[in-house]
């Protein structure tokens, strides 16, 4: 089967399943969690980009991403404080 056809069928099936009556709350929860993780990674990237001039580097891995996603800006600031305190 052609990959373009498979992608087209999936693209049409997902909205159909959402409209038919799939519960929206798990999808909404996963979407919000994914968005928080993406924002956390972007913020960590920019902290590493601008913090490089000051010797600040926070690795972007699972722990730092989840900590930043769950705690938000205070989580990122705490990671920066931990990095400054340890190094």
């Amino acid at each position: 089967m052609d990959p373009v056809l498979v992608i087209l069928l999936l693209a049409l099936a997902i909205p159909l399943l959402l409209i038919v009556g799939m519960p929206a709350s798990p999808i909404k929860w996963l979407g919000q969690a994914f968005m928080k993780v993406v924002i956390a990674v972007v913020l960590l990237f920019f902290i590493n980009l601008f913090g490089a001039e000051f010797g600040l580097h926070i690795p972007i891995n699972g722990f730092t991403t989840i900590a930043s996603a769950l705690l938000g800006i205070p989580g990122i600031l705490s990671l920066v404080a931990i990095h400054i305190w340890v190094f």
Side-chain angles (χ1 to χ4, degrees), residues 40-56:
V41 168
V42 169
L43 287 175
L44 286 172
F45 172 75
F46 280 117
I47 285 177
N48 285 334
L49 185 67
F50 295 119
E53 294 181 23
F54 306 108
L56 180 66

Side-chain angles (χ1 to χ4, degrees), residues 22-74:
M22 225 173 132
S25 63
I27 294 171
K28 183 178 176 183
W29 182 79
L30 285 173
Q32 288 176 347
F34 180 72
M35 186 176 7
K36 286 185 178 187
V37 167
V38 168
I39 290 170
V41 168
V42 169
L43 287 175
L44 286 172
F45 172 75
F46 280 117
I47 285 177
N48 285 334
L49 185 67
F50 295 119
E53 294 181 23
F54 306 108
L56 180 66
H57 174 72
I58 300 171
I60 301 175
N61 55 29
F63 177 75
T64 57
T65 301
I66 296 299
S68 301
L70 288 177
L71 299 174
I73 299 294

Side-chain angles (χ1 to χ4, degrees), residues 55-59 78-87:
L56 180 66
H57 174 72
I58 300 171
S78 66
L79 288 171
V80 169
I82 289 170
H83 177 32
I84 291 171
W85 184 55
V86 170
F87 295 106

